Amino acid sequence: MNITKDLKKLVSKEEDINLKNKKTDILDSLDLTYSLQKEEYKYTPLLKIVDKKFDLLKENKDQISQKSYEEVAKFVNSKFYLISVDGYFKSELSNIPPKVKIKKYSELEREEKDTFENMYQKHDDSKSDFFSSLNSIIHEDCLTISVDSNTVLKEHITIININENYDVNNYRKMIFCDKGSEISIFERFINLKSDENFSSSVSEIYQAENSKLNYYSAQDFKENYHYNSINVFQKRDSVSNFFTMSFSGSIVRNNLNICLHDKSCYTNMYGFYAMNDKSLIDNHTSVDHVDENSLSNEHYKGIMGGRSNGVFNGKIFVRKKAQKTNAFQSNNNIILSDKSKVNTKPQLEIWADDVKCSHGCTVGQMDDDAIFYLMSRGISRKDSISLLLSAFSSEIIEKITDEKMKSLLTELIKKQLEKFNDE
Amino acid sequence: MSKDDKILKDFTSKEYEHGWSVDFEVDQAPNGLNEDIVRLISKKKEEPNWLLEWRLDAFETFKKMKMPNWANLKIPEIDLQSISYYSAPKKKKELKSMDEVDPELIKTFEKLGISLQEQKRLSGVAVDAVIDSVSIGTTFKDKLSELGIIFCSFSEAVKEHPDLVKKYLGTVIPSKDNYFAALNSAVFSDGSFCYIPKGVRCPMELSTYFRINASNTGQFERTLIIADESSYVSYLEGCTAPMRDENQLHAAVVEIFAASNAEVKYSTVQNWYPGDKDGKGGIYNFVTKRGICSGDNSKISWTQVETGSAITWKYPSCVLKGNNSIGEFYSVAVTNNYQQADTGTKMVHIGKNTKSKIISKGISAGNSQNSYRGQVKVMNRASNSRNFSQCDSLLLGNKCGAHTFPYIDIDNKSSMVEHEATTSKIGEDQIFYCLQRGMDEENAIALIVNGYAKDVLKQLPMEFSVEAQKLLSLTLEGSVG
C-alpha cells in the first residue's frame, strides 16, 4: 500500500463535508511511524500488511457473482440477514427485521443522522490504533443499525460480510440500541477471493438504558489477514454479551473495547479460539469501569496446535468513581504442538478501593491422567483427546443461552476440533 | 473526621524515623558526569586498566541510551550533571580493629541499630557496612576466610581477586543491559563482593547495609555474588537513608551467579526515605538485579520488602539456564503518600524441568501508585518447566492505584504456567470477626495485613522478619479501606 498517497486521494473523494473534515483530521494524526503501536502489537506483526502493496482503491461492483450468491445461502441461518460485499452494503439481498432501521450512513435522513453523527468515530479507538484510523478513512459503506426503544427481537440478525474482488475490504457499522431494546447479532466473514487479502471491520455500539445486546462472531479467515475492532459504550442498567470464536487466519486481531459508562452496567465477554497450521490469533480486550456497581466478566479459552500463535491481552480499568465494581478475567490455553506459542498479558489497573477484581491465566497441555482415565474405560486415545478438548470448549459454549446459537456454534467448534485429531 | 481517617492521617503525617545525618569529612568529586569523572573514580580507587576500559566502554554505551519511559511511573527529569559521582569518607588511617573506627561512624551504626561490635558478638551476622560508597569495616572476615569464602568490598575484590571479578563482572547484567545498568557500570563506586567456593555452606547470613549519607551523592552500588558448585549462601541487604529534601538517585546493580547445585538466597528490606506527605523529596531507586542459575539443579531466591523510596523501579530476575534449576521471587511492596512503585520480576526458563514461583503482594495507601510488572518466559527447549505466579493487591483509601502488568510468553507444549491475581480491600467481615473477638481495629488490621503478606514474610531470615513485620504494621495502622 502506498498509504499516504492513496489515503489522500480517498479523503479528497469524500462528499460529505463533515466526514471529510473528520477524515482529514485522522489522516493528519495517523501515526505512520507506528511508534505508538509497539506495545499493542508486540506479538502481532499485522503492520507487515502495510508492506504488501495491497491496492486500496476500488470501484463498487454492482453485480454480485453467482458464486457468492450460492455461498451466502449456505450461511444464512436466520430469518433476518444483512449482506455486504467488499464493504458495500447490499440492501436488496438483505432481509431487514421490523422495528429496526438499517441504512447506509450516507442515506440517513437529517433527523436520523444526528444520533449517529454524535456517535460516529467517538467511541472507536481510531486515536490510538493505526488500523482503526485506517478503517475510518478508507471504509466503504457505513452500516447503521438503529433499534427502536423497547423492541425485543427474538430471532438473531445474521450479518454476512463477503470479501470477493479486492485486496483490501473495510467494513464499518454503528449500532444504536435504544432504551429497553434487546437484539442478537451473529456476524460472519466469508472469503471468496483466492489470493491473500486484508479485511478490517470497525463497529461502534451505543447501548442506551436497559438495553440488551448479544453479539456472536465466528471467524474463519484461512490464510488472510483481518483486523476487527468493536467499541461499546454502555449506559445505565444495560447488558452486553460477546462471544468471539476464531478458527483460522494468517493474522487475526480482535479489539473489543467496552466502556461501562454508567451505574449498574453488566458485560460478559467470552472467547474461544482453536487454531492450527501457521496462524496467529490476537485478542485484545479492554473494559473500562467508569461508574459504580458495574460488573464485567471475561473468559477466553484457546487451543493452539500446528505452528499457531495465540495472543491475549485483557485490560481492566476501574476508575476512582467506580466503587463496588466486580471485574473478573480469565484466560486458559492448551498448547498441543511443539511449534505453537502463547503470549498472554492479563492486565489490571485499579484506582478505586471498594472493588473485587481478579484475573487468572493458565497455559498447559492435555492432562495425561485424564486421558489415561478415559482410555482405561476402553475409549481410544484419539477419542479421549477430542472428548477432553470439547469439554474444554464447553465451558464457553454453556454460557450461550440462545439454544439456536448454541447449536450453531457447537457445530462450528466440533468441526474445528476434528482438525486436531492428528496431533 | 472519622476515627479511621484520623489514624490514617496521623500515620501519613509521620516523619521519617531514620531521618538524620552525620557529618564526616567527605572526599567528594565535583558535580557532573563526563569521561573525566569516570577516570577520576577509577583512579581514586586505584583500579587496574581493564576495569577502567570496561567503565569507559559502558559510559560510551550509556551516552547513546535514553531514559526508559515504559514504566508506569511519573519520573521528574533527573539532572545527572548535578550529582556528584564519588564521595568517600576521608581515610584517617588503616583500620584493623573496631576500636579504630571513627566514633561518628559507630554512632551512625548505633542509630541504625547495627552496632558493629554488638553484631559481631551477639548476632553472628558478618556486616560489611557500606557508607557512601566505601566499605568501612568488615567483620567476621577471618572466620569466613577459613572456609575459603571471600566476602569483602568490591574495590578490595578488584585488588585482591582480580581474576574472579574479571571473569564474572557483567556476565549476568551486561553493561549495555539498560540505561541505569550502563550508568552504574560506568560510575559504580563500591559495593560488596562475595564468593562461596565449591561445596561450602556459608555458616552465617551475609549482610550489608547501604546508607546514602552525604547529600547530593548518587549511590551507585555494585554487588557480585558468586556461588560455586554445591555451595549455599544467604545474603541480606538492608537500606535506610537520611531525610533530605532533594531527590537522590540510587542506581544499583546486583549480579548473582549460581553454578550447578548451588543455592543463593537474597533478601532485601528497603525503607529509604519515601518523601514527605506532599511527595517532596525521597529517594529515586532504579535498581537492576538479576541472577543466573547457570548450572544444573541450582536455585536463586529473591525476597524483598519494599516500603521506602519515592520512586521504585526494580525487577529482581532469574535466568534459569541449568536443567532443573529453580527461581523464586517473594515480594511485599508498600506505597503510601505520593510514592510510586513499579516492581516485579522476570523468570526466563531456558533449561529443562525448570521451576519458578512468584508471590507478589502490593499494598497501596494515600495517593500512591503501586504496579506489578512481571514476565514469565518459557523458551522452546525448556520442556516440563513449571511456573506459578500470584500477585495480589490491597487498596487502602480511594486515592491510590494498583496496577498489574504480567507478561506470559510460552513457547513450549509441555510447560505448565499459572497466573492469578486479585485486587481488593480489607473485608469488613474480616475486621468484624476480629472485633467480635475483642481486638481493637488497629490490631485487627495489623493482623490481617500481616496474614496477607505472610507468604513473603516467612521467607525472610529471622533478623529481617521482625523488622519487616514491624514496618508493615506501622505503615498500615488504622487504614480501613
Side-chain angles (χ1 to χ4, degrees), chain B residues 165-184:
Chain B
V165 177
K166 201 173 173 179
K167 187 174 167 195
Y168 291 103
L169 181 68
T171 52
V172 187
I173 303 173
S175 56
K176 296 176 180 63
D177 192 79
N178 66 62
Y179 182 81
F180 296 107
L183 176 64
N184 178 287

Side-chain angles (χ1 to χ4, degrees), chain A residues 214-247:
Chain A
N214 297 312
Y215 200 105
Y216 309 87
S217 61
Q219 304 174 326
D220 213 341
F221 289 102
K222 309 282 180 319
E223 272 109 53
N224 300 304
Y225 303 89
H226 183 73
Y227 169 84
N228 196 319
S229 166
I230 297 176
N231 306 278
V232 189
F233 190 83
Q234 284 184 237
K235 296 304 275 184
R236 192 166 177 152
D237 299 316
S238 57
V239 179
S240 65
N241 297 307
F242 288 87
F243 294 87
T244 312
M245 314 276 161
S246 312
F247 302 120

Side-chain angles (χ1 to χ4, degrees), chain B residues 392-453:
Chain B
D392 296 336
S393 312
L394 202 59
L395 288 155
L396 308 167
N398 54 4
K399 288 186 198 117
C400 50
H403 315 276
T404 323
F405 307 93
Y407 292 77
I408 295 139
D409 300 325
I410 313 301
D411 193 358
N412 182 291
K413 75 159 183 175
S414 54
S415 319
M416 285 272 269
V417 177
E418 288 169 86
H419 176 99
E420 59 179 57
T422 58
T423 303
S424 54
K425 62 169 192 166
I426 295 178
E428 279 154 28
D429 49 340
Q430 290 170 317
I431 292 174
F432 178 76
Y433 181 88
C434 294
L435 293 179
Q436 195 195 26
R437 267 139 190 85
M439 291 175 82
D440 63 26
E441 199 158 303
E442 271 176 41
N443 280 329
I445 288 163
L447 184 80
I448 294 163
V449 167
N450 265 303
Y452 167 77

Side-chain angles (χ1 to χ4, degrees), chain A residues 313-330:
Chain A
N313 181 317
K315 293 193 193 87
I316 296 177
F317 299 97
V318 181
R319 307 286 169 193
K320 231 173 240 179
K321 214 176 138 195
Q323 299 291 359
K324 311 265 182 219
T325 287
N326 285 351
F328 308 105
Q329 182 190 74
S330 123

Side-chain angles (χ1 to χ4, degrees), chain A residues 257-305:
Chain A
N257 304 315
I258 296 181
C259 178
L260 303 176
H261 197 259
D262 216 335
K263 292 187 178 72
S264 309
C265 294
Y266 182 20
T267 180
N268 284 310
M269 305 146 87
Y270 296 105
F272 180 76
Y273 44 97
M275 312 290 271
N276 55 2
D277 306 328
K278 190 170 165 27
S279 53
L280 191 154
I281 168 74
D282 180 353
N283 282 302
H284 265 60
T285 66
S286 98
V287 190
D288 193 351
H289 291 262
V290 180
D291 215 327
E292 288 171 13
N293 271 316
S294 53
L295 191 154
S296 72
N297 191 7
E298 180 173 10
H299 197 173
Y300 273 71
K301 296 187 101 173
I303 302 171
M304 312 310 297

Side-chain angles (χ1 to χ4, degrees), chain A residues 198-210:
Chain A
F198 168 72
S199 54
S200 80
S201 164
V202 174
S203 313
E204 291 167 85
I205 300 171
Y206 184 93
Q207 283 189 259
E209 288 80 357
N210 278 311

Side-chain angles (χ1 to χ4, degrees), chain B residues 32-68:
Chain B
L33 176 64
N34 52 46
E35 205 180 300
D36 292 340
I37 290 288
V38 178
R39 285 179 191 279
L40 176 83
I41 294 168
S42 190
K43 198 176 158 206
K44 283 258 185 201
K45 305 188 73 68
E46 297 157 24
E47 283 173 359
N49 218 12
W50 64 265
L51 192 53
L52 174 65
E53 288 301 319
W54 193 78
R55 280 175 184 271
L56 290 174
D57 190 39
F59 186 65
E60 278 307 307
T61 321
F62 170 75
K63 281 198 288 192
K64 287 179 209 131
M65 289 171 134
K66 272 195 193 134
M67 176 93 173

